[in-house]
Amino acid sequence: MSTMTDNFVPRRKKRITGRSIAILAFLAMCAAFFCIPLYVVIVTSFKTMDQIRLGEIFSLPVTWTLEPWREAWSEACSGIKCEGVSAGFFASLKILFPSLILSLSVSSVTGYALALWNVRWAGTFMFILFMCAFVPFQIIMIPMIILTGKIGVYGTIWGVAVVHAVLALPILTLIFRNFYKDIPGEIMQAAIMDSGSFWRIYREIILPMSANIFIVVLILQITSIWNDFLIGITFGGLNNKPMTVILANTVISATGESSYNVDMAAALLTAIPPLLIYFVLGKFFVQGITAGAIKG
Amino acid sequence: MPTIAFEHIYKDYGSLRVLADLNLSVDDGEFLVLLGPSGCGKTTLLNMLAGLQDVTAGTIRIGEEDITELDPKDRGLAMVFQSYALYPTKSVRGNLKFGLAAQKLDRAEIDRRVQWAAELLQITPLMDRKPAHLSGGQRQRVAIGRALVKNVDVFLFDEPLSNLDAKLRTEMRLEIKTLHEQTKSTIVYVTHDQIEAMTMATRIAVMDGGVIQQFGTPDEVYETPANLFVAGFIGAPAMNILDATITSSGPQASATLSDGTKIDLSHYEFTANPNEGQAVKVGLRPEHFDTSGKGGVVSLTLPVASRERTGSDATIFLKFGDDLIAVRAEPAEARDVMVGDNFAVSFPAGKLNLFDAQTGQRM
């Protein structure tokens, strides 16, 4: 024991240096940049209009009230309808599921074919697809309206779903393809010798191995579909306005006094679903994007 | 019953030609081992037989049928891969069943075959496990099982033992050999391991640079290598290959080593007539040396450079000019030999190999 204590020379603790203080200060500023507006939105949504009129936007609510939230959900006026953002919530859900199913199924099968089967001109196809990812939506919006009109889905849920699927196809196909590229070649060779069927191999071998990447793509797609405004307002028609559209109308179209507390509550209500998805699936998201090779 | 025939096979990768006019035929029930160093084209040949790679030119037949353009699943083959290639999300049972995906069988027949293979390979207790929960040897068995259930006449193995440890490898070697004897099927087996080739094959095709260097039984390949490549590749420690010159031809043929030692070739069965003054290579296997140093066609007394023991055997290395000559010895004998001592060995008639120094071909 004595020799051990004799040799016991503690290492010096790491000291806080000027550099680390600077880094911390910078990071704190970055955090504040996002947190301060969020703070204002949250506290405003719990205030009464009487307190808001005083103009102290950073103060905490004097009396906490849930009334703006209730009003935002079920009574706030968007245009001439006064049903709150709840109508938009259900419309968004109705848009979300067909869009997800369509975009995920098409892009995962395309990625699977490009990665694991000998597709003629696969390289060229990938290049064109990659270029498509950079085309702004606004450029092809009018042709898309004509196209969806021709196939009879313009102004319906499926019209929105088709447009979401088409626009997401380049980037999602790339993600799926890069994931499937890492599946060991011998597994695919074995499957080709055992079955040889494109769909059966996809269904029984490849799909069960894709859980991680599906969660990554699911989160990306849910966020982008839920937060979308332009596709929903353009292709959904009058009866399928998503939550974002209802929210915008609520905030813009108030006559007389603006109910800031109701607007803030409506904005938060609209933002909550993707946040929830992140909280629930966030763990898998990190696993998914770091999962490189699949160990056989 | 099927024989496998490769006829005038060519294979190009872009502008690189890896196989040129390759011909090979395997009889029914044979255990053919394709043996060669990495990049010799043996796996390419196997993949072409399996249908996993295209043939640039030529024909592959199984029996009378031309299978060159057939889909892999329609060729009536089963393959075991180096990495086992088990489906990670399926249980052992699921893996075996998927092996039958291309065959339209009723459920009872599928269950019967899966159970038969499981019992044969003794993996019945593992049937509901996922591959990730199996050891290397168990995975290997499942991979073989997935091939067995197909009930085909031809099995392909692509270096199936190279991911196992030495002890398991020996066990699995025996099991595969037993399996071959039980099923009487034709097996094409790719490996770079000469011990696997020597122990399991009924015939070996030694390949190098995309060319079949020799095709014969393990004994033929070992005893009478067709050329210098085969002589050097097969055998461990490797055959000693020494430069020599033919000093006289005819019935009293003889040659001289670079240090002047005379070799009596009067008993050697020439396949090509030697010319006087021709440069040749003499091949002497380490285990054929007589350590008593008496008799034989060559006698050498050389200083010992080093010695090593490899379990049941020992090898003594003798200095011959700048080269070393390996001599197999009894461990007890090798223990008494000191480095630097002179050691006398002789080489018996009839075991010697002679190659043309220019072409490398057996003489």
Side-chain angles (χ1 to χ4, degrees):
Chain A
M1 274 309 284
S2 65
T3 53
M4 277 185 74
T5 42
D6 288 347
N7 294 334
F8 182 75
V9 183
R11 290 198 168 272
R12 274 201 320 194
K13 290 252 168 64
K14 281 194 180 149
R15 296 236 311 272
I16 295 171
T17 62
R19 221 182 90 174
S20 60
I21 290 171
I23 290 172
L24 281 174
F26 175 73
L27 291 177
M29 275 167 59
C30 291
F33 185 78
F34 286 98
C35 287
I36 291 172
L38 183 66
Y39 165 80
V40 172
V41 170
I42 291 173
V43 294
T44 306
S45 73
F46 288 104
K47 286 177 186 173
T48 58
M49 277 311 289
D50 291 338
Q51 192 190 352
I52 291 169
R53 283 191 205 97
L54 299 176
E56 298 163 346
I57 61 168
F58 291 107
S59 66
L60 283 169
V62 180
T63 46
W64 290 78
T65 171
L66 280 173
E67 189 58 24
W69 286 75
R70 195 189 58 77
E71 205 176 309
W73 178 250
S74 57
E75 283 173 13
C77 292
S78 154
I80 51 165
K81 283 186 191 164
C82 291
E83 299 172 336
V85 291
S86 60
F89 176 79
F90 294 111
S92 274
L93 279 186
K94 273 200 286 183
I95 289 171
L96 183 65
F97 287 103
S99 305
L100 276 182
I101 292 167
L102 206 60
S103 54
L104 261 66
S105 52
V106 171
S107 53
S108 76
V109 171
T110 315
Y112 158 68
L114 286 172
L116 299 175
W117 290 80
N118 286 324
V119 180
R120 201 178 288 260
W121 306 115
T124 318
F125 185 71
M126 287 298 299
F127 181 74
I128 294 171
L129 209 57
F130 192 58
M131 288 292 111
C132 288
F134 295 108
V135 177
F137 172 55
Q138 286 79 352
I139 290 180
I140 54 167
M141 196 163 84
I142 304 294
M144 287 286 277
I145 291 174
I146 297 167
L147 213 63
T148 48
K150 284 252 162 65
I151 58 173
V153 291
Y154 180 75
T156 68
I157 296 277
W158 285 102
V160 183
V162 166
V163 176
H164 272 301
V166 168
L167 293 182
L169 189 66
I171 196 75
L172 296 192
T173 300
L174 281 172
I175 293 175
F176 275 113
R177 180 208 168 255
N178 286 350
F179 180 80
Y180 289 142
K181 259 279 175 261
D182 286 340
I183 288 180
E186 289 196 340
I187 287 188
M188 201 53 203
Q189 292 184 337
I192 286 175
M193 290 194 72
D194 283 348
S195 158
S197 150
F198 179 89
W199 291 107
R200 188 154 183 193
I201 294 173
Y202 176 71
R203 206 174 59 234
E204 290 199 36
I205 309 296
I206 302 302
L207 205 53
M209 293 168 81
S210 327
N212 278 338
I213 200 67
F214 262 89
I215 285 169
V216 170
V217 172
L218 206 63
I219 292 177
L220 288 177
Q221 257 322 70
I222 288 176
T223 315
S224 105
I225 293 169
W226 194 273
N227 291 342
D228 158 71
F229 178 81
L230 195 51
I231 299 174
I233 198 172
T234 316
F235 291 87
L238 290 175
N239 300 320
N240 302 310
K241 284 182 187 157
M243 206 170 182
T244 45
V245 175
I246 304 284
L247 171 70
N249 287 343
T250 307
V251 175
I252 294 161
S253 71
T255 49
E257 186 187 44
S258 280
S259 308
Y260 289 114
N261 51 359
V262 176
D263 293 348
M264 298 302 175
L268 285 172
L269 279 170
T270 310
I272 282 172
L275 275 180
L276 271 182
I277 298 289
Y278 270 113
F279 282 131
V280 175
L281 299 179
K283 192 178 72 178
F284 300 105
F285 184 76
V286 177
Q287 281 174 1
I289 48 178
T290 53
I294 305 158
K295 293 238 170 75
Chain B
M1 289 302 274
T3 59
I4 302 166
F6 295 91
E7 294 167 3
H8 308 289
I9 298 292
Y10 288 78
K11 176 66 184 174
D12 296 346
Y13 288 113
S15 61
L16 179 71
R17 175 157 290 177
V18 291
L19 297 176
D21 197 18
L22 183 141
N23 293 283
L24 182 67
S25 126
V26 190
D27 292 337
D28 178 40
E30 267 205 272
F31 196 128
L32 169 74
V33 172
L34 299 173
L35 177 68
S38 307
C40 72
K42 57 191 192 300
T43 298
T44 302
L45 197 61
L46 191 77
N47 283 344
M48 290 195 300
L49 175 58
L52 299 170
Q53 282 180 354
D54 291 336
V55 179
T56 308
T59 310
I60 303 174
R61 289 179 206 284
I62 295 183
E64 291 303 304
E65 194 185 2
D66 178 356
I67 60 151
T68 321
E69 298 295 328
L70 280 186
D71 270 358
K73 67 173 165 56
D74 299 325
R75 298 189 175 202
L77 304 167
M79 184 153 168
V80 178
F81 293 87
Q82 180 174 7
S83 67
Y84 320 136
L86 299 179
Y87 309 123
T89 56
K90 283 189 178 293
S91 66
V92 169
R93 190 187 307 281
N95 267 280
L96 294 189
K97 279 187 177 171
F98 197 81
L100 296 167
Q103 307 181 12
K104 294 194 168 40
L105 300 171
D106 60 54
R107 196 166 291 168
E109 174 65 11
I110 291 176
D111 289 341
R112 198 189 61 75
R113 286 209 202 162
V114 167
Q115 201 185 340
W116 165 76
E119 277 168 16
L120 191 63
L121 295 164
Q122 297 165 1
I123 50 174
T124 315
L126 313 172
M127 291 307 269
D128 296 315
R129 289 206 207 160
K130 292 278 169 66
H133 301 124
L134 300 176
S135 69
Q138 289 168 336
R139 285 180 203 184
Q140 181 63 70
R141 282 206 178 83
V142 176
I144 294 175
R146 193 173 62 191
L148 272 182
V149 289
K150 291 187 185 175
N151 200 17
V152 291
D153 298 320
V154 181
F155 290 94
L156 312 181
F157 288 84
D158 185 8
E159 309 208 11
L161 304 183
S162 48
N163 288 358
L164 299 176
D165 63 53
K167 186 164 174 285
L168 258 176
R169 206 177 297 169
T170 316
E171 285 174 26
M172 289 306 295
R173 217 160 63 199
L174 258 172
E175 282 192 33
I176 293 175
K177 201 177 171 186
T178 316
L179 215 58
H180 174 240
E181 280 155 12
Q182 283 173 356
T183 56
K184 311 259 185 260
S185 45
T186 309
I187 290 181
V188 182
Y189 187 108
V190 163
T191 185
H192 59 256
D193 184 326
Q194 48 168 305
I195 298 176
E196 285 175 25
M198 292 298 294
T199 50
M200 293 195 286
T202 59
R203 285 216 274 176
I204 300 177
V206 185
M207 292 183 70
D208 185 44
V211 178
I212 293 179
Q213 303 287 340
Q214 188 170 5
F215 181 47
T217 66
D219 286 345
E220 284 167 5
V221 170
Y222 191 82
E223 304 291 344
T224 53
N227 55 40
L228 276 173
F229 174 80
V230 179
F233 190 74
I234 307 239
M239 185 187 279
N240 300 294
I241 297 188
L242 307 175
D243 292 318
T245 316
I246 299 284
T247 40
S248 63
S249 54
Q252 293 300 312
S254 66
T256 315
L257 291 179
S258 52
D259 71 340
T261 312
K262 198 163 169 267
I263 306 171
D264 176 10
L265 295 175
S266 54
H267 297 291
Y268 185 77
E269 289 172 16
F270 282 100
T271 52
N273 278 330
N275 302 316
E276 252 174 72
Q278 188 181 359
V280 293
K281 302 260 186 190
V282 181
L284 311 169
R285 288 228 179 260
E287 69 273 24
H288 292 153
F289 280 101
D290 184 350
T291 49
S292 66
K294 293 187 187 74
V297 287
V298 196
S299 295
L300 293 164
T301 304
L302 298 167
V304 174
S306 70
R307 58 202 165 93
E308 62 183 26
R309 173 159 187 176
T310 55
S312 57
D313 283 334
T315 309
I316 300 172
F317 292 95
L318 306 177
K319 239 181 258 168
F320 181 77
D322 291 336
D323 297 327
L324 289 177
I325 296 180
V327 176
R328 198 209 80 93
E330 288 300 322
E333 193 177 10
R335 205 176 302 131
D336 300 332
V337 175
M338 291 297 150
V339 172
D341 283 358
N342 273 340
F343 194 74
V345 290
S346 64
F347 200 86
K351 297 287 189 186
L352 184 138
N353 293 286
L354 206 58
F355 303 95
D356 187 324
Q358 236 114 54
T359 62
Q361 295 302 310
R362 184 177 189 83
M363 290 177 71

